[in-house]
Amino acid sequence: QEQLVASGGGTVQPGESLRLSCVASAFTLEHYAIGWFRQAPGKEREGISCISRSDASAYYADSVQGRFTISSDNAKNTVYLQMDSLKPEDTAIYYCAADQGRCSVLVRAYRYWGQGTQVTVSS
């Protein structure tokens, strides 16, 4: 059964960093577009980054551009989201998602979803 597992969340202070991981089982991420989403309390789930596997192109939302970096390790079947210079407004549950389509920040574009990992940025 295809499954995604997101991990790496935690509580950090503003300006610190975290690296989220998204590991797939029963399918090979190398052939899938991967998206990272987040959902803060009372807000809709928003797409913040994605990577297309066909050409390795990546997209970042304005809110994370220059601070977050998406990458992959095919040998580990894992996609990462490096988050630097974290801000309190980055506090949310972070989800990874996969689909055989192209990079997208639309929730409806993805078939497979991880369970989410909590990121809290607070002083």
Side-chain angles (χ1 to χ4, degrees):
Q1 181 177 359
E2 295 88 352
Q3 189 175 14
L4 291 173
V5 177
S7 63
T11 299
V12 297
Q13 295 187 343
E16 294 186 339
S17 300
L18 282 173
R19 188 178 74 162
L20 306 183
S21 300
C22 179
V23 182
S25 58
F27 66 106
T28 304
L29 284 181
E30 181 178 1
H31 305 302
Y32 287 72
I34 306 299
W36 281 99
F37 294 76
R38 67 185 182 187
Q39 189 165 16
K43 295 188 177 181
E44 293 186 354
R45 191 169 299 189
E46 64 166 334
I48 56 173
S49 182
C50 61
I51 184 167
S52 287
R53 310 318 298 276
S54 58
D55 58 4
S57 60
Y59 166 85
Y60 300 95
D62 289 343
S63 57
V64 305
Q65 177 73 47
R67 300 188 298 123
F68 291 10
T69 305
I70 191 170
S71 64
S72 64
D73 184 334
N74 293 336
K76 296 182 178 180
N77 209 26
T78 301
V79 173
Y80 302 100
L81 185 69
Q82 177 67 40
M83 306 187 298
D84 298 321
S85 302
L86 283 163
K87 305 175 181 179
E89 51 263 44
D90 294 319
T91 296
I93 299 174
Y94 284 69
Y95 300 87
C96 60
D99 198 88
Q100 290 182 304
R102 293 187 60 81
C103 173
S104 173
V105 291
L106 298 178
V107 171
R108 65 175 183 266
Y110 292 88
R111 177 179 181 182
Y112 302 107
W113 287 84
Q115 84 288 2
T117 184
Q118 176 71 47
V119 172
T120 302
V121 185
S122 175
S123 56

